[in-house]
Amino acid sequence: MKAILIMGSKADINFCKKIADKLAFFGIDCEMKVASAHKTPMRVLEIIREFENEDVVFVTVAGRSNALSGFVDANTTKPVIACPPVSESFAGMDILSSLRMPSGVAPMVVLEPENCALAVAKIFGIKNENIRKKILEYQVNKKREIEEAEI
């Protein structure tokens, strides 16, 4: 089990590292790849084919015109989570390219890197008791943070 993080450009590396760091907490390996649906579609297809017979979740990180998420989802049977870095450009409206997909194309959209890693963990946690335990630990810690913040 691993997450395959595909970023549209190397500029997204720091955003992807946030996802990878939280995946490590859950005990989930990941690989990072750079490929663009617009500029290198054949490379994207190669990545999908490389992992199609493994237990993976694809995470796509692309801003602006996010064709990557839909392209990956349309070419795999595996779960795809779009985690686009939200930009202040265009008043954040570039996010719409991650939300509106044609019929038959259904990547999930999660905007925060930490929540993206949690979503990956919950997918793998269906069959993995160790990951489920880490999810529970994470949730207990989040609840504790709120309770301890009480004034």
Side-chain angles (χ1 to χ4, degrees), residues 5 15-25 28 30 32 113 117:
L5 280 60
F15 192 85
C16 285
K17 284 181 180 177
K18 292 177 186 177
I19 299 169
D21 289 345
K22 192 50 74 172
L23 286 169
F25 168 82
I28 298 170
C30 72
M32 291 189 214

Side-chain angles (χ1 to χ4, degrees), residues 1-2 4 31 47-58 76-79 124:
M1 285 185 292
K2 71 176 126 181
I4 308 304
E31 288 189 34
I47 293 167
I48 294 167
R49 287 184 193 117
E50 178 181 350
F51 295 101
E52 191 63 25
N53 293 320
E54 297 182 33
D55 289 335
V56 299
V57 172
F58 289 103
T76 185
T77 61
K78 306 300 180 182
F124 287 137

Side-chain angles (χ1 to χ4, degrees), residues 30-115:
C30 72
E31 288 189 34
M32 291 189 214
K33 306 286 186 179
V34 178
S36 166
H38 290 111
K39 298 174 186 173
T40 60
M42 298 309 290
R43 175 68 183 131
V44 177
L45 290 172
E46 288 172 13
I47 293 167
I48 294 167
R49 287 184 193 117
E50 178 181 350
F51 295 101
E52 191 63 25
N53 293 320
E54 297 182 33
D55 289 335
V56 299
V57 172
F58 289 103
V59 174
T60 52
V61 176
R64 293 187 187 173
S65 177
N66 181 7
L68 182 61
S69 301
F71 186 79
V72 171
D73 190 77
N75 287 285
T76 185
T77 61
K78 306 300 180 182
V80 177
I81 301 173
C83 190
V86 178
S87 167
E88 294 304 315
S89 299
F90 307 108
M93 287 295 100
D94 53 341
I95 192 70
L96 296 177
S97 68
S98 298
L99 298 175
R100 296 285 299 172
M101 293 287 155
S103 62
V105 180
M108 296 163 270
V109 179
V110 181
L111 298 181
E112 298 299 325
E114 182 174 343
N115 290 345

